[in-house]
Coordinates of all heavy atoms in Angstrom, one line a residue:
G23 N 72.0 113.4 108.5 CA 71.3 114.5 107.9 C 70.1 114.9 108.7 O 69.8 114.4 109.8
P24 N 69.2 115.8 108.3 CA 68.1 116.3 109.0 C 67.2 115.1 109.4 O 66.9 114.2 108.5 CB 67.4 117.3 108.1 CG 68.5 117.7 107.1 CD 69.4 116.5 107.0
P25 N 66.6 115.2 110.6 CA 65.7 114.1 111.0 C 64.3 114.2 110.2 O 64.0 115.3 109.7 CB 65.5 114.3 112.5 CG 65.7 115.8 112.6 CD 66.7 116.2 111.6
P26 N 63.5 113.1 110.2 CA 62.2 113.2 109.6 C 61.4 114.3 110.3 O 61.5 114.4 111.5 CB 61.6 111.8 109.8 CG 62.8 110.9 110.0 CD 63.8 111.8 110.7
R27 N 60.5 114.9 109.6 CA 59.6 115.9 110.2 C 58.2 115.3 110.6 O 57.5 115.8 111.4 CB 59.4 117.1 109.3 CG 60.6 117.9 109.0 CD 60.4 118.9 107.9 NE 60.1 118.2 106.6 CZ 59.8 118.8 105.5 NH1 59.8 120.1 105.4 NH2 59.6 118.0 104.4
T28 N 57.9 114.2 110.0 CA 56.7 113.5 110.3 C 56.9 112.0 110.5 O 57.9 111.5 110.0 CB 55.6 113.7 109.2 OG1 56.1 113.1 108.0 CG2 55.4 115.2 108.9
I29 N 56.0 111.3 111.1 CA 56.1 109.9 111.2 C 56.0 109.2 109.8 O 56.7 108.2 109.6 CB 55.0 109.3 112.1 CG1 55.2 109.8 113.6 CG2 54.9 107.8 112.1 CD1 56.6 109.4 114.1
G30 N 55.2 109.8 108.9 CA 55.2 109.2 107.6 C 56.6 109.3 106.9 O 57.0 108.3 106.2
E31 N 57.3 110.4 107.1 CA 58.6 110.5 106.5 C 59.5 109.4 107.2 O 60.4 108.8 106.5 CB 59.2 111.9 106.7 CG 58.6 112.9 105.9 CD 59.3 114.3 106.0 OE1 60.4 114.3 106.7 OE2 58.7 115.3 105.6
F32 N 59.4 109.2 108.5 CA 60.2 108.3 109.2 C 60.0 106.9 108.7 O 60.9 106.1 108.5 CB 60.0 108.4 110.7 CG 60.7 107.3 111.5 CD1 62.0 107.1 111.4 CD2 59.9 106.5 112.4 CE1 62.7 106.2 112.2 CE2 60.6 105.6 113.2 CZ 62.0 105.4 113.1
A33 N 58.7 106.5 108.5 CA 58.4 105.2 108.0 C 59.0 104.9 106.6 O 59.4 103.8 106.3 CB 56.8 105.0 107.9
G34 N 59.1 105.9 105.8 CA 59.7 105.7 104.5 C 61.2 106.0 104.3 O 61.7 105.9 103.3
Q35 N 61.8 106.4 105.5 CA 63.2 106.7 105.4 C 64.1 105.4 105.2 O 63.8 104.4 105.7 CB 63.7 107.3 106.8 CG 65.1 107.7 106.9 CD 65.3 109.2 106.4 OE1 64.4 110.0 106.5 NE2 66.5 109.5 106.0
A36 N 65.0 105.6 104.3 CA 65.9 104.5 103.9 C 67.2 104.6 104.8 O 68.0 105.5 104.5 CB 66.3 104.4 102.4
Y37 N 67.4 103.8 105.8 CA 68.6 103.9 106.6 C 69.7 102.9 106.1 O 69.4 101.9 105.5 CB 68.2 103.6 108.1 CG 67.4 104.7 108.7 CD1 66.1 104.5 109.1 CD2 68.0 105.9 109.0 CE1 65.3 105.5 109.6 CE2 67.3 107.0 109.6 CZ 65.9 106.8 109.9 OH 65.2 107.8 110.4
P38 N 71.0 103.3 106.5 CA 72.1 102.4 106.0 C 71.9 101.0 106.6 O 71.4 100.8 107.7 CB 73.3 103.0 106.7 CG 72.9 104.5 106.9 CD 71.4 104.5 107.2
A39 N 72.2 100.0 105.7 CA 72.1 98.6 106.1 C 73.1 98.1 107.0 O 72.9 97.2 107.8 CB 72.0 97.7 104.9
S40 N 74.3 98.8 107.0 CA 75.4 98.3 107.8 C 76.3 99.5 108.2 O 76.2 100.6 107.6 CB 76.3 97.2 107.1 OG 77.0 97.8 106.0
K41 N 77.3 99.3 109.1 CA 78.2 100.4 109.5 C 79.0 100.9 108.3 O 79.4 102.0 108.3 CB 79.1 99.9 110.6 CG 80.1 98.8 110.1 CD 81.0 98.4 111.3 CE 82.1 97.4 110.8 NZ 83.0 97.0 111.8
D42 N 79.3 100.0 107.3 CA 80.1 100.4 106.1 C 79.4 101.5 105.3 O 80.0 102.2 104.5 CB 80.4 99.2 105.3 CG 81.2 98.2 106.0 OD1 82.0 98.6 106.9 OD2 81.1 97.0 105.7
D43 N 78.1 101.6 105.5 CA 77.3 102.7 104.7 C 77.2 104.0 105.4 O 76.7 104.9 104.9 CB 75.9 102.1 104.4 CG 75.9 100.9 103.6 OD1 76.8 100.8 102.7 OD2 75.1 100.0 103.8
L44 N 77.8 104.0 106.7 CA 77.8 105.3 107.4 C 78.9 106.2 107.0 O 80.0 105.7 106.7 CB 77.9 105.0 108.9 CG 76.7 104.3 109.6 CD1 77.0 103.9 111.0 CD2 75.5 105.2 109.6
A45 N 78.7 107.5 106.9 CA 79.7 108.4 106.5 C 80.5 108.8 107.8 O 80.6 110.0 108.2 CB 79.1 109.7 105.9
L46 N 81.2 107.8 108.3 CA 82.0 108.0 109.6 C 83.4 107.3 109.5 O 83.6 106.4 108.6 CB 81.2 107.3 110.8 CG 79.8 107.9 111.1 CD1 79.2 107.0 112.1 CD2 79.9 109.3 111.6
E47 N 84.3 107.8 110.3 CA 85.6 107.1 110.4 C 85.4 105.7 111.0 O 84.4 105.5 111.7 CB 86.5 107.9 111.3 CG 86.8 109.3 110.8 CD 87.6 109.3 109.5 OE1 88.4 108.3 109.3 OE2 87.4 110.1 108.6
P48 N 86.3 104.8 110.7 CA 86.2 103.4 111.1 C 85.9 103.3 112.6 O 85.1 102.5 113.1 CB 87.5 102.8 110.7 CG 87.9 103.6 109.5 CD 87.5 105.0 109.8
A49 N 86.7 104.1 113.4 CA 86.5 104.0 114.9 C 85.1 104.4 115.3 O 84.5 103.8 116.2 CB 87.6 104.8 115.6
E50 N 84.6 105.5 114.7 CA 83.3 105.9 115.0 C 82.2 104.9 114.5 O 81.2 104.7 115.2 CB 83.0 107.3 114.3 CG 83.7 108.4 115.0 CD 83.0 108.8 116.3 OE1 81.9 109.5 116.2 OE2 83.5 108.4 117.3
Q51 N 82.5 104.3 113.4 CA 81.5 103.3 112.9 C 81.3 102.1 113.9 O 80.2 101.8 114.2 CB 82.1 102.7 111.6 CG 82.0 103.6 110.4 CD 82.5 103.0 109.1 OE1 83.1 101.9 109.2 NE2 82.3 103.6 108.0

């Protein structure tokens, strides 16, 4: 999705913990 607009937003961003949480096909993961 859209990237953070500020460093504060980046610091608080919750990123996927593993490849299984990515909205991608298995090969892309």
Side-chain angles (χ1 to χ4, degrees):
R27 292 169 299 179
T28 66
I29 292 300
E31 288 185 13
F32 175 53
Q35 183 90 24
Y37 287 112
S40 69
K41 67 177 183 178
D42 297 331
D43 297 324
L44 293 171
L46 301 170
E47 296 296 325
E50 284 288 280
Q51 288 180 348

